[in-house]
Amino acid sequence: MYETQYHRAASVEEAARLMGEAEDGKFLAGGMTLIPTMKQRLASPSDLIDLRRIEALKGVTVDGRNVRIGAVTTHYDVSTSEELAKICPAITNLAGHIGDPQVRNMGTIGGSIANNDPAADYPSALLALDATIITSQRSLPASDFFIGLFETALEPNEIIVAVEFVGPDRAAYKKFPNPASLYAMAGVFVAKSGDNIRVAVTGAGEGGVFRLKDAETALAGNFSPSALDSLAVDPDVLLSDMHASADYRANLVKVMAKRAVAEITNRPM
Amino acid sequence: MGVEGIGARVLRKEDKRFITGKGRYTDDMSVPGMKHAAFVRSPHAHAKITGIDVETAKKMPGVIGVLTGAELKADGIGNLICGWMIHSKDGTPMKMGAWSPLATDTVRYVGDAVVIVIADTKGQARDAAEAVDVSYEELPVVVKTAEALNEGAPQLHSEAPGNLIFDWDIGDEKATNDAFAGAAHVTKMDIVNGRLVPNAIEPRATLGVYDAGEDHYTCWTTSQNPHVARLVLSAFYNVAPENKLRVIAPDVGGGFGSKIFIYPEELICLWASKKTGVPVKWVADRTESFLADAHGRDHVTHAELAFDKDNKILGLKVQTIANLGAYMSLFSSSVPTYLYATLLSGQYDIPAIHANVKAVYTNTAPVDAYRGAGRPEASFVLERIMETAARELKVSPAELRRKNFIRTFPHQTPVIMNYDAGDFDATLDAGLKAADYEGFEKRREEAAKRGKLRGIGLSCYIEACGIAPSAAVGSLGAGVGLWESAEVRVNAIGTIEILTGSHSHGQGHETTFAQLATERFGVPIESVSIVHGDTDKVQMGMGTYGSRSGAVGMSAVVKALDKVEAKAKKIAAHLLEADEADIEIKDGNVRVAGTDKSLPWFQVALAAYTAHNLPSGMEPGLKEGAFYDPSNFTFPGGCHICEVEVDPETGVTEIIQFVAADDFGKIINPMIVEGQVHGGLAQGIGQALLEGTHYDDTGQLLTASFMDYTMPRAQNLPSFNIMTTETPCPSNPLGIKGCGEAGAIGSPPAVINAITDAIHNNNLTMPATPQIVWNAIQAAK
Ligand SMILES: Cc1cc2nc3c(=O)[nH]c(=O)nc-3n(C[C@H](O)[C@H](O)[C@H](O)COP(=O)(O)OP(=O)(O)OC[C@H]3O[C@@H](n4cnc5c(N)ncnc54)[C@H](O)[C@@H]3O)c2cc1C
């Protein structure tokens, strides 16, 4: 790791100011991605501005069906929120299967979506739930926030404050983990609210998280796993690496999508 | 058996310090003035070094030295050696390319060390290492085992034309061809045994200290065999004569073979300590471990097995290409030869065997012994082809094996080994019963109803531990003897220290070796300490590998205990005025059999040291040493059975049950043996299902971290069902065979046999990841 200056911000304003003053600063949340990258000398921020002590960024709030998750809320805190589990068990379940216990106790939702790893779990949930990302400067829908591999709409000084969404009628997330890293090799989040069905895929897309519109259309007519029997997932838009070919990923996307739908239809209302 | 003697489940004495974080590893060592090293390593798999500019690096903050291979050579430090000479079938010696500890003109794999930088802190050393400017002219690269011998493949070493290190034969080719000529059935297979990265939990580390006043060196290092390290560093690398070099291997966090070898780093740190005048410490990070620890396995094989009309085996032919990487590591040549092809007879009576092994260079990390070393490769070839043959012959895999078992001992195989004892029916029967093999078809049907493909696979392996005797291995090319030494020191108050050349880095010697003394003298186990890992304390030893500590190391302890016991009895007989033959030592007392005359153990020890009243002419003291050179290998064997369910939609394999019925001969501590088996099985199943090493075509290691290289986790493993049978080893005093590697040797073929049974496609490579299994299912459709 190269030398760096550590700052602990007490407010979003202070964090933004510290960032403005830094030569080449980086916000630090759980550090689960940023710190290993620095240890490998692949990142060398002059300053680290720690967001984790900012009260306004912490915690899960549920108000009726409206959900707000503060940016520095850990995966562990999301996974164990009883209130949230009542509104949207799919997302608490998703958080409970990120990485391992160490990662879940440090990693945060803000860090995860700011990083927008194509294999991260949350982006699929936020896209399928049509969530809003609240930043220090604006609010924007998930579909505008996630741009590409490790790419988001965030400006350099912009801080994610929270994500908000309305609890769906029903939802499920099915993940096929990479055997080594346990990140998603194919993860499918299916959300249904009335007639509105959204299916988002992570881990597999060449350009990061994406909506599987063919599946949404098929499910609109018949919300059951068999509606996806003839779904053809195009391998040309999928990642291919030593862990999984595009063809295999295409298969996994379909299988995970069917299993997510099956979980929803099998679960008592 | 007492509660702490032979056969008792004594809890591990060493665990208190390990599980409370009080272990002392090389990186915990600190000496005044100590500085930190970082290595500049090659980013290319094959390149000419056209220039090394160290000037900027030398001026960086905290930098004490920036040293190159040219300076190392100028100081007379030698090239790295391979300590086992193999001769090709044409009689020529193996063709070893020079391995300079710091590359001077050519780099041959990604990670090849080029420059060492020493600075006040580790961070400064790394900063300066980045500032070293090495210019390279890239050369073409060969990575794949099967391509190294191709016409026109890039050449690694001028000493080894065509990248061929040796072309070695074992067995009788003509007799084997004749046997095949009369065959009723021949099974043929191509078999790949992929490359593994050892990944001990503690990365390699070393601290080199040169004492100018004494002209003496101390080397702390993560070694499985500190005495061999000292021998090699002295005799071959010219660091210092043995009396001027102390090697200490303190607590070591796992080795699995990868810490047997002498690597460039410890050699360079010793030399650099003298050169710079400061103690030099280096600790690998995980990426360096992936790149520059010796890897394991990496064989490409074609095998053919011939049967007569009654399904008796007539002969076996094997051709293997073994990838030794970019340089020949210390024992690399022995692994695919005498540790591999000599085991190809397995548990079977095979009249004729012929094997040919071609060892090749590629632009990859050196390959050497890794848990099992050659024997997993042999059992994988034989047990895969046996299972395949049974399917082709449409007979039960268990019964085909049984039909061909060796049943009379000693048994001379056509490939050197002379099996001394075994009962292969016993382990097979135990395994079949425990696995309810009979009931499998019902379970398969039930699984099919749930949409799962269920399969079962066997592996009846044999292996050879305690490689020996020294004279025999010497005649086969070994550069060292393979005996072990021990010294038993009884202190004046009866407590005991056992000094051993066996090194413990996870095996639990501090417990099991102490159990021997406890058994012998009835003293409590707390009063027995094991001393190892320091060349200043233990005179000489050959270290721990090849499951030799029990069979060889403990045998040396037994010999020393015999001598101590004999002297103690003489002293006691004198003190008790009895006949020596009537003296017995039991429960901490030394007594005259059949009488109530006795002395506590400690009084005999005290008498030996006060020397007030010893038999006339007897030397004071109670301390004896012994060297033990075995008369044969030992031959553990067993039956592993794996039952799996495969999800056809995703290719995920779940191990439903894993049964291991092993014959390790006499067992000193069943709990520790079970731990060794569990660890070995985890590694073997890891190889079968999870661990794959990928280099890309340019020689970059793609799996250089745990994000891409899958180590087995608890969730990947079932609860093991393990048991032992016992045919004592006739060649050593305790009847021990060894258990350290068996799990890793026996299990991979059982797993792959089970999956291929489930998916009805026999063409499956390791690791059988979900993607590979899914592809195989698609291919079989
Ligand atoms: C072994 C391992 C396994 C993992 N497995 C999974 C998995 O299965 N699924 C999964 O989804 N993830 C996985 N992760 C990722 C992990 O869950 C974290 O989500 C991720 O590392 C980022 O979160 P963090 O809080 O640690 O962010 P950091 O590492 O602190 O930061 C990451 C990036 O986001 C920026 N950032 C952080 N917070 C904010 C903010 N509020 N506003 C603006 N920018 C910000 C930082 O500047 C940095 O660039 C794994 C990580 C590891 C190490």
Side-chain angles (χ1 to χ4, degrees):
Chain A
M1 193 183 287
Y2 298 102
E3 235 173 67
T4 190
Q5 193 72 37
Y6 174 84
H7 309 268
R8 184 176 286 170
S11 67
V12 173
E13 295 70 33
E14 190 192 356
R17 180 179 56 74
L18 286 165
M19 184 59 94
E21 289 165 9
E23 192 188 318
D24 179 18
K26 275 244 174 234
F27 296 118
L28 174 69
M32 290 291 94
T33 294
L34 185 51
I35 300 291
T37 314
M38 290 172 67
K39 280 187 172 172
Q40 288 175 35
R41 298 183 159 233
L42 298 171
S44 51
S46 60
D47 297 76
L48 283 182
I49 296 129
D50 192 345
L51 306 175
R52 277 174 308 174
R53 311 295 168 114
I54 302 176
E55 279 308 316
L57 303 187
K58 285 187 191 169
V60 177
T61 18
V62 177
D63 179 8
R65 295 204 72 79
N66 295 325
V67 177
R68 178 185 170 100
I69 305 176
V72 301
T73 312
T74 61
H75 309 326
Y76 174 80
D77 284 339
V78 172
S79 72
T80 53
S81 166
E82 285 173 19
E83 268 184 310
L84 182 54
K86 284 184 204 139
I87 301 291
C88 186
I91 201 164
T92 55
N93 177 46
L94 172 152
H97 287 87
I98 292 176
D100 48 48
Q102 289 88 336
V103 168
R104 292 197 286 276
N105 277 281
M106 290 298 289
T108 67
I109 189 167
S112 175
I113 64 173
N115 195 45
N116 194 19
D117 189 311
D121 295 301
Y122 273 129
S124 64
L126 300 197
L127 193 57
L129 293 169
D130 199 10
T132 303
I133 319 295
I134 318 286
T135 77
S136 52
Q137 296 168 19
R138 56 189 162 148
S139 298
L140 70 171
S143 53
D144 290 346
F145 180 85
F146 299 114
I147 293 184
L149 299 184
F150 299 100
E151 216 188 320
T152 67
L154 282 178
E155 299 291 334
N157 273 10
E158 196 170 359
I159 299 168
I160 301 169
V161 173
V163 302
E164 293 183 352
F165 59 88
V166 179
D169 294 349
R170 332 203 62 190
Y173 178 63
K174 283 290 169 194
K175 167 184 186 175
F176 191 91
N178 175 309
S181 70
L182 304 183
Y183 272 88
M185 209 144 80
V188 179
F189 199 104
V190 176
K192 185 174 187 299
S193 289
D195 291 340
N196 185 15
I197 293 160
R198 288 169 69 111
V199 179
V201 178
T202 190
E206 206 177 32
V209 64
F210 67 96
R211 275 174 69 185
L212 195 59
K213 299 249 167 86
D214 287 352
E216 293 175 359
T217 315
L219 291 169
N222 168 19
F223 195 84
S224 77
S226 61
L228 301 178
D229 280 345
S230 56
L231 177 72
V233 181
D234 181 6
D236 287 348
V237 299
L238 300 187
L239 289 166
S240 184
D241 54 36
M242 64 182 154
H243 299 294
S245 66
D247 283 335
Y248 180 53
R249 276 196 165 88
N251 170 65
L252 288 180
V253 168
K254 181 170 168 173
V255 173
M256 292 303 116
K258 288 175 76 170
R259 288 182 185 180
V261 174
E263 184 180 308
I264 292 174
T265 51
N266 292 342
R267 196 194 297 148
M269 279 290 262
Chain B
M1 164 184 114
V3 287
E4 294 174 339
I6 291 176
R9 291 178 172 268
V10 181
L11 293 183
R12 295 186 4 141
K13 293 175 68 183
E14 46 271 80
D15 279 349
K16 181 181 170 208
R17 74 174 188 278
F18 291 147
I19 60 187
T20 56
K22 298 287 192 285
R24 297 264 290 154
Y25 298 86
T26 297
D27 195 21
D28 295 317
M29 302 302 157
S30 186
V31 294
M34 183 177 84
K35 306 295 177 188
H36 301 269
F39 284 88
V40 178
R41 296 181 183 276
S42 171
H44 304 295
H46 199 190
K48 272 205 147 32
I49 298 174
T50 55
I52 302 176
D53 183 350
V54 298
E55 290 317 311
T56 316
K58 276 186 171 164
K59 291 181 204 121
M60 302 272 289
V63 171
I64 285 156
V66 184
L67 306 173
T68 65
E71 292 161 89
L72 190 86
K73 279 208 168 83
D75 284 351
I77 300 293
N79 283 335
L80 289 131
I81 59 149
C82 175
W84 195 303
M85 172 54 72
I86 297 293
H87 285 87
S88 287
K89 57 185 178 188
D90 66 6
T92 55
M94 65 190 187
K95 302 190 169 60
M96 184 162 61
W99 185 3
S100 173
L102 289 172
T104 50
D105 35 56
T106 308
V107 288
R108 295 185 177 84
Y109 74 102
V110 173
D112 212 347
V114 184
V115 173
I116 180 173
V117 178
I118 298 130
D120 287 338
T121 68
K122 201 167 172 172
Q124 287 171 333
R126 291 194 175 179
D127 288 346
E130 278 177 15
V132 172
D133 186 10
V134 185
S135 327
Y136 297 99
E137 188 185 304
E138 285 186 62
L139 296 169
V141 167
V142 60
V143 170
K144 293 198 172 71
T145 313
E147 292 172 5
L149 294 172
N150 285 358
E151 187 106 11
Q155 277 284 308
L156 269 82
H157 295 274
S158 58
E159 299 91 333
N163 298 320
L164 181 63
I165 300 169
F166 55 75
D167 180 357
W168 174 89
D169 259 14
I170 192 170
D172 187 333
E173 185 167 16
K174 185 176 173 304
T176 311
N177 284 337
D178 291 349
F180 271 71
H185 180 86
V186 176
T187 296
K188 302 180 180 182
M189 271 184 99
D190 292 312
I191 297 167
V192 175
N193 201 302
R195 178 183 282 243
L196 301 175
V197 182
N199 280 319
I201 194 165
E202 181 202 18
R204 283 193 295 119
T206 188
L207 167 58
V209 183
Y210 177 66
D211 176 344
E214 300 287 341
D215 193 24
H216 180 279
Y217 293 83
T218 305
C219 171
W220 273 272
T221 181
T222 48
S223 174
Q224 300 178 213
N225 42 336
H227 290 88
V228 177
R230 183 172 72 157
L231 174 69
V232 173
L233 288 165
S234 288
F236 296 98
Y237 303 154
N238 298 329
V239 172
E242 280 174 297
N243 62 323
K244 293 289 186 187
L245 173 60
R246 176 181 184 187
V247 178
I248 304 170
D251 283 334
V252 173
F256 311 110
S258 71
K259 292 172 181 168
I260 297 172
F261 325 118
I262 318 304
Y263 289 89
E265 291 87 0
E266 54 258 47
L267 166 61
I268 295 165
C269 287
L270 282 171
W271 164 74
S273 174
K274 178 171 184 181
K275 194 91 184 157
T276 57
V278 295
V280 177
K281 181 193 272 184
W282 167 78
V283 181
D285 62 25
R286 186 55 65 182
T287 308
E288 273 183 304
S289 302
F290 269 99
L291 293 175
D293 285 4
H295 294 175
R297 319 273 191 261
D298 208 339
H299 283 196
V300 172
T301 294
H302 177 77
E304 301 188 6
L305 189 60
F307 292 87
D308 71 9
K309 61 176 185 2
D310 298 323
N311 296 341
K312 290 278 286 179
I313 303 172
L314 294 171
L316 171 68
K317 289 185 193 172
V318 173
Q319 283 144 23
T320 294
I321 303 176
N323 187 348
L324 298 192
Y327 300 102
M328 291 186 76
S329 172
L330 191 64
F331 290 115
S332 57
S333 54
S334 65
V335 177
T337 51
Y338 292 110
L339 296 178
Y340 163 66
T342 54
L343 272 306
L344 285 170
S345 194
Q347 299 189 345
Y348 314 113
D349 185 3
I350 306 183
I353 298 178
H354 177 250
N356 172 259
V357 180
K358 295 183 174 72
V360 300
Y361 280 123
T362 60
N363 295 109
T364 59
V367 176
D368 206 325
Y370 170 63
R371 200 170 194 169
R375 291 153 287 161
E377 294 89 317
S379 77
F380 194 67
V381 168
L382 194 61
E383 290 308 294
R384 283 289 289 130
I385 202 167
M386 279 302 277
E387 194 93 2
T388 304
R391 288 173 195 167
E392 289 178 359
L393 294 165
K394 302 199 165 35
V395 295
S396 150
E399 293 319 308
L400 183 67
R401 287 176 168 90
R402 197 189 293 283
K403 177 166 233 149
N404 286 283
F405 276 163
I406 293 162
R407 291 202 177 75
T408 49
F409 297 90
H411 173 88
Q412 178 63 53
T413 72
V415 281
I416 298 180
M417 291 301 181
N418 191 295
Y419 300 162
D420 52 7
D423 184 347
F424 307 137
D425 290 292
T427 43
L428 177 61
D429 288 339
L432 294 177
K433 181 158 175 270
D436 183 22
Y437 195 69
E438 295 273 289
F440 172 72
E441 283 308 326
K442 267 214 183 89
R443 301 197 291 278
R444 195 200 294 266
E445 282 160 30
E446 183 276 330
K449 286 186 197 134
R450 287 182 283 111
K452 292 291 169 64
L453 306 172
R454 195 148 168 147
I456 195 162
L458 263 71
S459 159
C460 292
Y461 74 95
I462 193 162
E463 61 135 332
C465 300
I467 172 171
S470 296
V473 296
S475 75
L476 299 178
V480 291
L482 287 165
W483 43 264
E484 195 46 85
S485 83
E487 194 178 310
V488 175
R489 294 182 186 163
V490 181
N491 298 314
I493 53 164
T495 58
I496 298 171
E497 275 130 27
I498 297 179
L499 288 72
T500 166
S502 297
H503 187 274
S504 187
H505 38 276
Q507 295 84 351
H509 294 177
E510 288 168 45
T511 307
T512 50
F513 281 47
Q515 284 178 256
L516 301 182
T518 294
E519 172 83 16
R520 188 67 71 104
F521 303 127
V523 294
I525 201 152
E526 297 78 35
S527 64
V528 186
S529 296
I530 307 303
V531 178
H532 71 93
D534 183 342
T535 60
D536 263 14
K537 293 181 179 165
V538 179
Q539 187 235 330
M540 187 56 179
M542 295 314 297
T544 292
Y545 39 83
S547 306
R548 68 192 300 277
S549 294
V552 190
M554 282 188 175
S555 296
V557 174
V558 167
K559 273 186 81 176
L561 286 170
D562 288 345
K563 295 183 192 177
V564 168
E565 181 181 341
K567 185 167 182 183
K569 281 181 170 171
K570 278 200 175 72
I571 296 170
H574 178 74
L575 295 174
L576 294 167
E577 295 173 341
D579 194 50
E580 203 185 311
D582 293 335
I583 301 292
E584 56 179 34
I585 306 178
K586 233 180 162 177
D587 302 330
N589 289 307
V590 185
R591 58 178 180 237
V592 185
T595 72
D596 57 2
K597 284 210 277 183
S598 93
L599 286 170
W601 165 251
F602 83 88
Q603 275 192 8
V604 178
L606 194 61
Y609 287 95
T610 58
H612 295 161
N613 182 15
L614 288 177
S616 78
M618 181 184 271
E619 285 178 15
L622 194 51
K623 178 193 100 164
E624 300 289 345
F627 284 73
Y628 173 78
D629 195 352
S631 59
N632 194 359
F633 283 82
T634 67
F635 297 98
C639 170
H640 289 187
I641 301 178
C642 179
E643 189 165 333
V644 300
E645 272 185 17
V646 175
D647 174 355
E649 290 185 336
T650 59
V652 168
T653 299
E654 187 192 349
I655 298 185
I656 304 297
Q657 66 161 339
F658 198 100
V659 172
D662 298 299
D663 181 352
F664 298 134
K666 188 94 188 146
I667 286 171
I668 306 300
N669 183 328
M671 180 198 72
I672 284 183
V673 168
E674 285 160 14
Q676 289 289 312
V677 174
H678 282 203
L681 292 178
Q683 265 167 307
I685 293 169
Q687 167 166 31
L689 292 182
L690 304 161
E691 298 183 49
T693 309
H694 294 272
Y695 281 96
D696 71 10
D697 290 341
T698 69
Q700 295 295 331
L701 182 61
L702 299 178
T703 46
S705 84
F706 292 137
M707 295 304 265
D708 290 308
Y709 187 93
T710 315
M711 292 297 281
R713 294 177 169 94
Q715 72 216 45
N716 304 119
L717 303 165
S719 186
F720 301 124
N721 184 3
I722 67 176
M723 63 220 64
T724 53
T725 62
E726 186 179 310
T727 53
C729 172
S731 74
N732 64 52
L734 290 166
I736 292 185
K737 294 185 177 178
C739 65
E741 295 158 294
I745 292 167
S747 56
V751 177
I752 299 299
N753 287 339
I755 300 174
T756 53
D757 179 49
I759 66 175
H760 298 292
N761 181 350
N762 201 34
N763 191 5
L764 187 72
T765 54
M766 295 193 289
T769 61
Q771 139 136 300
I772 287 172
V773 173
W774 185 78
N775 286 347
I777 294 170
Q778 306 314 306
K781 270 183 183 167

